[in-house]
Amino acid sequence: MEKRSSFLTGAMCGICLTLLLLLGVRFGTEAAQRQELSAAIDETEGESEKLNLDLEQSSQKIQAIEEIINEYFYDEVDAEKVEDYLYKGLIAGLGDPYAAYYTEEELASMLESTSGEYDGIGVTVTQDQQTGEVTIVKCYENTPAAEVGLLPGDIITKVNDEETSAMDLNNVVSLIKTAEGETVKITIEREGSAEELVFYVERRKVEIPTVEYEMLENQIGYIRIAEFDTVTEEQFLAAKEALESQGMEKLIIDLRSNLGGVLDTVCEILREILPEGLIVYTEDKNGVRENFECDGTKELQIPLAVLINGYSASASEIFAGAVKDYGIGTLVGTTTYGKGIVQQTIRLSDGSAVKLTIAKYFTPLGQDIHGKGIEPDVEVELDEALANQIEITKEEDNQLQKAIEVLEAEDAG
C-alpha cells in the first residue's frame, strides 16, 4: 500500500468541507507523494476503540442482504457500484466527515489536480457538511461557467437532474466531469430568484494561472495566488522577479479565497520571504512532530501586506500564520477559515484508496488555528455590493485599497 499525507482544503462560513475544483478539477489539490492542506471545523481528535470487525458475521449478513436484493429489488442492479458503496460505508462509519473511500477513477481525478490544466467548467465550490449544500465560491473569467452566467453564491442542487445534497463533494465533482456528452446540466438556487435556474455548461480544457501580478502606483507590487499548486512556485518566482525588475518597493500578496494546496509549494514560496526558522509543524495523535523550516537566505527586505478572508484556508493559513508570527508583514481583511486537520491518503492494491485524518498542523509559534482561523492585523470587510461580482476592479476593491493605505502609511511613519 502506498501512503501519503494530505491536508484537505476548506473554506466557508460555518461548519463545512471545501474542495477546490475547476469543475471538476480540484480535489483539495491531492497529488501522489505530496503533502497537502486540509480544512475541517469538526474535531476528529480523541482516543477511540480500535476497529475490530467480525468479518465472518459481516460476510454472512452481506450475503443475506444480497439474496434479498436479488429476490425482491425491482430495478436493475449495478453490482460494481453496490460493492464500492460497501467500502464507502465502512469509512463513513468512522464518523469523520473528511475520511473517504475513492474508487480508482475517483483517485485518478484527484491526481489530475496538480497538472495546471483541467477538464471542467471553471468554478471553485464548497460543501456545507450540515446541510449538504454545494455552493459556488468563485467563477473564473473566460471559462464555461462564467460564459453561461453562473455566479458566486449559487447553490448547486442538481447535476444532470441528480440531487447533490446527499452526495459527497467528490462525487458531485466526478458526476460533473464524467457525465455523458459535451455539456452538463447544472440546476442552481440563486438568492433573489423564486425558482431554480438551469444552465447547460460545456466541459472543456480549462487553463487558469495560479498567480497573477502587476505593478500598482507608487511602486507597490501586487501578486495574487489563487491556489498552491505544484506549478505555483515557478509562477510566483517569475512574478516576483518581474516586479523587482520594475523597481518594486513594497509588496501585496493576495490570498483571498485561496482554499489551499500543496504543502511543499507554500513552504517553498515562504522560503522566498521568511527569516530563518520554523515555517509550520505537524503533530499526530502520538505527539510525533514534523518540522518544516526556512534557512532565511532570501528574507524579504521590503514592506509586505497580505490580504486574507474567510475563504483563505489551509496553505493560505500556513502562509498568513508564518507572516504574522514573524511580524514581517501586515494581514489585512477578515479572519481566515480556520483549519488544521492533516489527512493521509493510502492507495490500495487494486488502485482504489482511503483517506483518513491523522494529525494537525500549527503555526511557527505553536498556534492551533483549527476552528479559529487567523485574525487580520487590520480588519476590513469587503463592501457588500461587491460580494457577488465575478471581477472587481482594483479601484473599487476596498480591502486592496486598505492594504495600499497600510503600506503607504509606513512611509509616512
Tab-separated table of all heavy atoms in Angstrom, residues 353-398:
chain	number	residue	atom	x	y	z
A	353	ALA	N	-8.378	3.850	-3.005
A	353	ALA	CA	-7.647	4.460	-1.888
A	353	ALA	C	-8.597	4.847	-0.769
A	353	ALA	O	-9.805	5.028	-0.986
A	353	ALA	CB	-6.886	5.691	-2.358
A	354	VAL	N	-8.055	4.969	0.427
A	354	VAL	CA	-8.801	5.508	1.562
A	354	VAL	C	-8.050	6.717	2.102
A	354	VAL	O	-6.820	6.792	2.014
A	354	VAL	CB	-9.001	4.474	2.690
A	354	VAL	CG1	-9.878	3.338	2.222
A	354	VAL	CG2	-7.666	3.951	3.203
A	355	LYS	N	-8.804	7.647	2.629
A	355	LYS	CA	-8.228	8.866	3.196
A	355	LYS	C	-8.721	9.020	4.622
A	355	LYS	O	-9.920	8.932	4.888
A	355	LYS	CB	-8.654	10.072	2.356
A	355	LYS	CG	-8.150	11.411	2.874
A	355	LYS	CD	-8.615	12.539	1.974
A	355	LYS	CE	-10.125	12.630	1.975
A	355	LYS	NZ	-10.631	13.561	0.944
A	356	LEU	N	-7.794	9.244	5.562
A	356	LEU	CA	-8.116	9.338	6.973
A	356	LEU	C	-7.456	10.553	7.602
A	356	LEU	O	-6.367	10.963	7.202
A	356	LEU	CB	-7.638	8.081	7.720
A	356	LEU	CG	-8.151	6.732	7.227
A	356	LEU	CD1	-7.440	5.614	7.982
A	356	LEU	CD2	-9.658	6.633	7.398
A	357	THR	N	-8.089	11.141	8.594
A	357	THR	CA	-7.481	12.223	9.361
A	357	THR	C	-6.444	11.632	10.290
A	357	THR	O	-6.726	10.709	11.046
A	357	THR	CB	-8.550	12.971	10.172
A	357	THR	OG1	-9.541	13.488	9.290
A	357	THR	CG2	-7.947	14.099	10.974
A	358	ILE	N	-5.212	12.193	10.248
A	358	ILE	CA	-4.125	11.565	11.011
A	358	ILE	C	-3.327	12.549	11.885
A	358	ILE	O	-2.523	12.119	12.700
A	358	ILE	CB	-3.164	10.787	10.090
A	358	ILE	CG1	-2.620	11.672	8.961
A	358	ILE	CG2	-3.857	9.583	9.475
A	358	ILE	CD1	-1.296	12.287	9.206
A	359	ALA	N	-3.516	13.857	11.726
A	359	ALA	CA	-2.711	14.800	12.507
A	359	ALA	C	-3.285	16.214	12.393
A	359	ALA	O	-4.281	16.445	11.713
A	359	ALA	CB	-1.251	14.775	12.041
A	360	LYS	N	-2.620	17.152	13.087
A	360	LYS	CA	-2.951	18.575	12.997
A	360	LYS	C	-1.678	19.348	12.676
A	360	LYS	O	-0.574	18.841	12.837
A	360	LYS	CB	-3.525	19.089	14.322
A	360	LYS	CG	-4.869	18.484	14.686
A	360	LYS	CD	-5.402	19.043	15.994
A	360	LYS	CE	-5.878	20.475	15.832
A	360	LYS	NZ	-6.546	20.985	17.049
A	361	TYR	N	-1.838	20.613	12.218
A	361	TYR	CA	-0.670	21.452	11.995
A	361	TYR	C	-0.768	22.725	12.815
A	361	TYR	O	-1.855	23.145	13.216
A	361	TYR	CB	-0.459	21.753	10.509
A	361	TYR	CG	-1.460	22.688	9.874
A	361	TYR	CD1	-1.337	24.068	10.009
A	361	TYR	CD2	-2.504	22.185	9.108
A	361	TYR	CE1	-2.243	24.922	9.411
A	361	TYR	CE2	-3.414	23.035	8.504
A	361	TYR	CZ	-3.280	24.405	8.664
A	361	TYR	OH	-4.185	25.247	8.071
A	362	PHE	N	0.393	23.358	13.051
A	362	PHE	CA	0.497	24.515	13.931
A	362	PHE	C	1.410	25.566	13.300
A	362	PHE	O	2.326	25.246	12.553
A	362	PHE	CB	1.064	24.099	15.296
A	362	PHE	CG	0.233	23.065	16.008
A	362	PHE	CD1	0.387	21.712	15.727
A	362	PHE	CD2	-0.712	23.439	16.952
A	362	PHE	CE1	-0.375	20.750	16.366
A	362	PHE	CE2	-1.483	22.486	17.607
A	362	PHE	CZ	-1.319	21.141	17.311
A	363	THR	N	1.169	26.836	13.636
A	363	THR	CA	1.995	27.938	13.136
A	363	THR	C	3.352	27.913	13.828
A	363	THR	O	3.545	27.183	14.804
A	363	THR	CB	1.312	29.289	13.382
A	363	THR	OG1	1.343	29.576	14.786
A	363	THR	CG2	-0.129	29.282	12.895
A	364	PRO	N	4.320	28.708	13.372
A	364	PRO	CA	5.666	28.688	13.966
A	364	PRO	C	5.683	28.894	15.484
A	364	PRO	O	6.503	28.298	16.184
A	364	PRO	CB	6.385	29.837	13.253
A	364	PRO	CG	5.726	29.897	11.917
A	364	PRO	CD	4.281	29.586	12.174
A	365	LEU	N	4.776	29.729	16.011
A	365	LEU	CA	4.730	29.963	17.459
A	365	LEU	C	3.814	28.987	18.177
A	365	LEU	O	3.485	29.167	19.350
A	365	LEU	CB	4.276	31.402	17.744
A	365	LEU	CG	5.229	32.510	17.289
A	365	LEU	CD1	4.678	33.883	17.654
A	365	LEU	CD2	6.618	32.309	17.885
A	366	GLY	N	3.412	27.945	17.482
A	366	GLY	CA	2.613	26.903	18.115
A	366	GLY	C	1.133	27.204	18.197
A	366	GLY	O	0.415	26.571	18.978
A	367	GLN	N	0.639	28.149	17.388
A	367	GLN	CA	-0.781	28.480	17.419
A	367	GLN	C	-1.593	27.386	16.735
A	367	GLN	O	-1.297	26.985	15.616
A	367	GLN	CB	-1.023	29.817	16.712
A	367	GLN	CG	-0.273	30.992	17.323
A	367	GLN	CD	-0.702	31.265	18.752
A	367	GLN	OE1	-1.888	31.216	19.068
A	367	GLN	NE2	0.248	31.553	19.606
A	368	ASP	N	-2.623	26.931	17.434
A	368	ASP	CA	-3.564	25.971	16.872
A	368	ASP	C	-4.725	26.778	16.298
A	368	ASP	O	-5.547	27.310	17.043
A	368	ASP	CB	-4.050	25.020	17.967
A	368	ASP	CG	-5.126	24.052	17.483
A	368	ASP	OD1	-5.431	24.046	16.281
A	368	ASP	OD2	-5.671	23.309	18.334
A	369	ILE	N	-4.807	26.891	14.989
A	369	ILE	CA	-5.814	27.755	14.371
A	369	ILE	C	-7.050	26.957	13.939
A	369	ILE	O	-7.964	27.506	13.323
A	369	ILE	CB	-5.219	28.521	13.176
A	369	ILE	CG1	-4.628	27.581	12.134
A	369	ILE	CG2	-4.144	29.469	13.654
A	369	ILE	CD1	-5.539	27.192	11.019
A	370	HIS	N	-7.106	25.697	14.305
A	370	HIS	CA	-8.204	24.835	13.879
A	370	HIS	C	-9.526	25.299	14.492
A	370	HIS	O	-9.676	25.385	15.708
A	370	HIS	CB	-7.912	23.396	14.297
A	370	HIS	CG	-8.875	22.415	13.720
A	370	HIS	ND1	-9.025	22.231	12.371
A	370	HIS	CD2	-9.746	21.557	14.308
A	370	HIS	CE1	-9.934	21.291	12.156
A	370	HIS	NE2	-10.389	20.879	13.314
A	371	GLY	N	-10.474	25.633	13.652
A	371	GLY	CA	-11.765	26.103	14.126
A	371	GLY	C	-11.764	27.544	14.598
A	371	GLY	O	-12.799	28.055	15.038
A	372	LYS	N	-10.617	28.206	14.498
A	372	LYS	CA	-10.496	29.590	14.973
A	372	LYS	C	-10.124	30.543	13.850
A	372	LYS	O	-10.629	31.658	13.782
A	372	LYS	CB	-9.426	29.677	16.062
A	372	LYS	CG	-9.617	28.696	17.214
A	372	LYS	CD	-8.364	28.631	18.077
A	372	LYS	CE	-8.439	27.486	19.074
A	372	LYS	NZ	-7.167	27.329	19.822
A	373	GLY	N	-9.225	30.120	13.011
A	373	GLY	CA	-8.739	30.981	11.953
A	373	GLY	C	-7.662	31.925	12.440
A	373	GLY	O	-7.272	31.920	13.609
A	374	ILE	N	-7.176	32.752	11.535
A	374	ILE	CA	-6.151	33.746	11.836
A	374	ILE	C	-6.765	35.125	11.664
A	374	ILE	O	-7.288	35.455	10.597
A	374	ILE	CB	-4.929	33.590	10.914
A	374	ILE	CG1	-4.292	32.211	11.127
A	374	ILE	CG2	-3.908	34.701	11.156
A	374	ILE	CD1	-3.192	31.888	10.139
A	375	GLU	N	-6.715	35.924	12.713
A	375	GLU	CA	-7.299	37.263	12.647
A	375	GLU	C	-6.364	38.222	11.927
A	375	GLU	O	-5.140	38.154	12.089
A	375	GLU	CB	-7.590	37.784	14.055
A	375	GLU	CG	-8.659	36.988	14.793
A	375	GLU	CD	-8.952	37.568	16.161
A	375	GLU	OE1	-8.299	38.581	16.532
A	375	GLU	OE2	-9.815	37.013	16.863
A	376	PRO	N	-6.916	39.139	11.131
A	376	PRO	CA	-6.069	40.122	10.447
A	376	PRO	C	-5.540	41.156	11.435
A	376	PRO	O	-6.118	41.370	12.501
A	376	PRO	CB	-7.027	40.759	9.438
A	376	PRO	CG	-8.365	40.659	10.099
A	376	PRO	CD	-8.344	39.333	10.834
A	377	ASP	N	-4.443	41.786	11.077
A	377	ASP	CA	-3.944	42.918	11.873
A	377	ASP	C	-4.811	44.147	11.645
A	377	ASP	O	-5.007	44.959	12.548
A	377	ASP	CB	-2.489	43.228	11.477
A	377	ASP	CG	-1.575	42.035	11.709
A	377	ASP	OD1	-1.532	41.540	12.844
A	377	ASP	OD2	-0.926	41.600	10.750
A	378	VAL	N	-5.313	44.271	10.427
A	378	VAL	CA	-6.216	45.372	10.068
A	378	VAL	C	-7.476	44.738	9.503
A	378	VAL	O	-7.460	44.173	8.406
A	378	VAL	CB	-5.582	46.324	9.042
A	378	VAL	CG1	-6.571	47.437	8.674
A	378	VAL	CG2	-4.291	46.916	9.583
A	379	GLU	N	-8.576	44.825	10.255
A	379	GLU	CA	-9.809	44.179	9.821
A	379	GLU	C	-10.620	45.112	8.926
A	379	GLU	O	-10.888	46.256	9.284
A	379	GLU	CB	-10.651	43.758	11.012
A	379	GLU	CG	-11.900	42.984	10.611
A	379	GLU	CD	-12.614	42.358	11.793
A	379	GLU	OE1	-12.195	42.621	12.937
A	379	GLU	OE2	-13.585	41.609	11.566
A	380	VAL	N	-11.022	44.591	7.768
A	380	VAL	CA	-11.873	45.347	6.864
A	380	VAL	C	-12.686	44.369	6.028
A	380	VAL	O	-12.140	43.489	5.376
A	380	VAL	CB	-11.049	46.309	5.965
A	380	VAL	CG1	-9.941	45.572	5.236
A	380	VAL	CG2	-11.940	47.034	4.987
A	381	GLU	N	-14.001	44.493	6.089
A	381	GLU	CA	-14.899	43.657	5.306
A	381	GLU	C	-14.955	44.169	3.868
A	381	GLU	O	-14.880	45.374	3.617
A	381	GLU	CB	-16.309	43.687	5.896
A	381	GLU	CG	-16.430	43.087	7.293
A	381	GLU	CD	-16.620	41.586	7.266
A	381	GLU	OE1	-16.760	41.031	6.152
A	381	GLU	OE2	-16.635	40.983	8.347
A	382	LEU	N	-15.105	43.247	2.928
A	382	LEU	CA	-15.322	43.648	1.544
A	382	LEU	C	-16.693	44.303	1.447
A	382	LEU	O	-17.668	43.824	2.038
A	382	LEU	CB	-15.266	42.432	0.627
A	382	LEU	CG	-15.359	42.707	-0.881
A	382	LEU	CD1	-14.115	43.436	-1.362
A	382	LEU	CD2	-15.535	41.405	-1.652
A	383	ASP	N	-16.774	45.405	0.723
A	383	ASP	CA	-18.053	46.091	0.557
A	383	ASP	C	-19.105	45.105	0.068
A	383	ASP	O	-18.868	44.334	-0.874
A	383	ASP	CB	-17.921	47.242	-0.443
A	383	ASP	CG	-17.190	48.438	0.154
A	383	ASP	OD1	-17.041	48.497	1.393
A	383	ASP	OD2	-16.754	49.308	-0.625
A	384	GLU	N	-20.282	45.142	0.709
A	384	GLU	CA	-21.336	44.177	0.412
A	384	GLU	C	-21.744	44.187	-1.061
A	384	GLU	O	-22.055	43.145	-1.642
A	384	GLU	CB	-22.554	44.479	1.294
A	384	GLU	CG	-23.655	43.438	1.204
A	384	GLU	CD	-24.783	43.702	2.184
A	384	GLU	OE1	-24.626	44.593	3.044
A	384	GLU	OE2	-25.811	43.022	2.075
A	385	ALA	N	-21.724	45.339	-1.663
A	385	ALA	CA	-22.137	45.462	-3.064
A	385	ALA	C	-21.215	44.701	-4.008
A	385	ALA	O	-21.584	44.401	-5.148
A	385	ALA	CB	-22.191	46.932	-3.464
A	386	LEU	N	-19.992	44.359	-3.544
A	386	LEU	CA	-19.019	43.693	-4.400
A	386	LEU	C	-19.044	42.178	-4.253
A	386	LEU	O	-18.383	41.469	-5.011
A	386	LEU	CB	-17.610	44.203	-4.069
A	386	LEU	CG	-17.389	45.710	-4.140
A	386	LEU	CD1	-15.971	46.050	-3.687
A	386	LEU	CD2	-17.647	46.239	-5.543
A	387	ALA	N	-19.803	41.673	-3.262
A	387	ALA	CA	-19.699	40.274	-2.859
A	387	ALA	C	-19.979	39.287	-3.983
A	387	ALA	O	-19.337	38.244	-4.070
A	387	ALA	CB	-20.640	40.006	-1.685
A	388	ASN	N	-20.938	39.588	-4.855
A	388	ASN	CA	-21.324	38.628	-5.885
A	388	ASN	C	-20.766	38.939	-7.271
A	388	ASN	O	-21.148	38.310	-8.251
A	388	ASN	CB	-22.855	38.539	-5.970
A	388	ASN	CG	-23.438	37.815	-4.769
A	388	ASN	OD1	-22.825	36.902	-4.238
A	388	ASN	ND2	-24.616	38.235	-4.346
A	389	GLN	N	-19.867	39.907	-7.341
A	389	GLN	CA	-19.269	40.220	-8.635
A	389	GLN	C	-18.169	39.223	-8.976
A	389	GLN	O	-17.357	38.860	-8.112
A	389	GLN	CB	-18.683	41.638	-8.624
A	389	GLN	CG	-19.740	42.732	-8.549
A	389	GLN	CD	-19.135	44.116	-8.654
A	389	GLN	OE1	-19.703	45.080	-8.166
A	389	GLN	NE2	-17.974	44.219	-9.284
A	390	ILE	N	-18.157	38.771	-10.227
A	390	ILE	CA	-17.107	37.839	-10.652
A	390	ILE	C	-15.761	38.543	-10.668
A	390	ILE	O	-14.754	38.004	-10.233
A	390	ILE	CB	-17.443	37.260	-12.040
A	390	ILE	CG1	-18.718	36.417	-11.957
A	390	ILE	CG2	-16.286	36.418	-12.570
A	390	ILE	CD1	-19.161	35.850	-13.280
A	391	GLU	N	-15.731	39.755	-11.167
A	391	GLU	CA	-14.489	40.523	-11.214
A	391	GLU	C	-14.698	41.872	-10.528
A	391	GLU	O	-15.723	42.533	-10.725
A	391	GLU	CB	-14.051	40.744	-12.660
A	391	GLU	CG	-13.658	39.460	-13.391
A	391	GLU	CD	-12.440	38.793	-12.799
A	391	GLU	OE1	-11.565	39.512	-12.264
A	391	GLU	OE2	-12.358	37.557	-12.859
A	392	ILE	N	-13.732	42.267	-9.718
A	392	ILE	CA	-13.780	43.549	-9.005
A	392	ILE	C	-12.569	44.360	-9.436
A	392	ILE	O	-11.438	43.852	-9.426
A	392	ILE	CB	-13.744	43.329	-7.479
A	392	ILE	CG1	-14.925	42.446	-7.032
A	392	ILE	CG2	-13.758	44.661	-6.731
A	392	ILE	CD1	-14.851	42.046	-5.569
A	393	THR	N	-12.783	45.582	-9.823
A	393	THR	CA	-11.643	46.422	-10.204
A	393	THR	C	-10.837	46.760	-8.963
A	393	THR	O	-11.365	46.807	-7.842
A	393	THR	CB	-12.108	47.722	-10.873
A	393	THR	OG1	-12.793	48.539	-9.911
A	393	THR	CG2	-13.031	47.432	-12.048
A	394	LYS	N	-9.569	47.006	-9.149
A	394	LYS	CA	-8.711	47.320	-8.015
A	394	LYS	C	-9.087	48.654	-7.382
A	394	LYS	O	-8.884	48.859	-6.189
A	394	LYS	CB	-7.241	47.306	-8.450
A	394	LYS	CG	-6.781	45.875	-8.780
A	394	LYS	CD	-5.351	45.818	-9.195
A	394	LYS	CE	-4.894	44.366	-9.291
A	394	LYS	NZ	-5.716	43.568	-10.210
A	395	GLU	N	-9.666	49.528	-8.174
A	395	GLU	CA	-10.074	50.824	-7.633
A	395	GLU	C	-11.261	50.685	-6.674
A	395	GLU	O	-11.342	51.397	-5.674
A	395	GLU	CB	-10.450	51.774	-8.778
A	395	GLU	CG	-9.270	52.239	-9.619
A	395	GLU	CD	-8.704	51.152	-10.504
A	395	GLU	OE1	-9.456	50.207	-10.861
A	395	GLU	OE2	-7.496	51.244	-10.834
A	396	GLU	N	-12.186	49.763	-6.955
A	396	GLU	CA	-13.350	49.597	-6.085
A	396	GLU	C	-13.123	48.551	-4.989
A	396	GLU	O	-13.940	48.416	-4.079
A	396	GLU	CB	-14.579	49.220	-6.912
A	396	GLU	CG	-14.474	47.885	-7.625
A	396	GLU	CD	-15.664	47.621	-8.545
A	396	GLU	OE1	-16.618	48.435	-8.531
A	396	GLU	OE2	-15.646	46.625	-9.278
A	397	ASP	N	-12.030	47.837	-5.061
A	397	ASP	CA	-11.712	46.808	-4.062
A	397	ASP	C	-11.242	47.483	-2.778
A	397	ASP	O	-10.069	47.834	-2.630
A	397	ASP	CB	-10.632	45.882	-4.621
A	397	ASP	CG	-10.308	44.705	-3.709
A	397	ASP	OD1	-10.700	44.737	-2.530
A	397	ASP	OD2	-9.655	43.766	-4.193
A	398	ASN	N	-12.151	47.651	-1.818
A	398	ASN	CA	-11.821	48.412	-0.609
A	398	ASN	C	-10.803	47.694	0.280
A	398	ASN	O	-10.033	48.340	1.004
A	398	ASN	CB	-13.081	48.734	0.197
A	398	ASN	CG	-13.804	47.495	0.696
A	398	ASN	OD1	-14.265	46.675	-0.096
A	398	ASN	ND2	-13.925	47.382	2.013
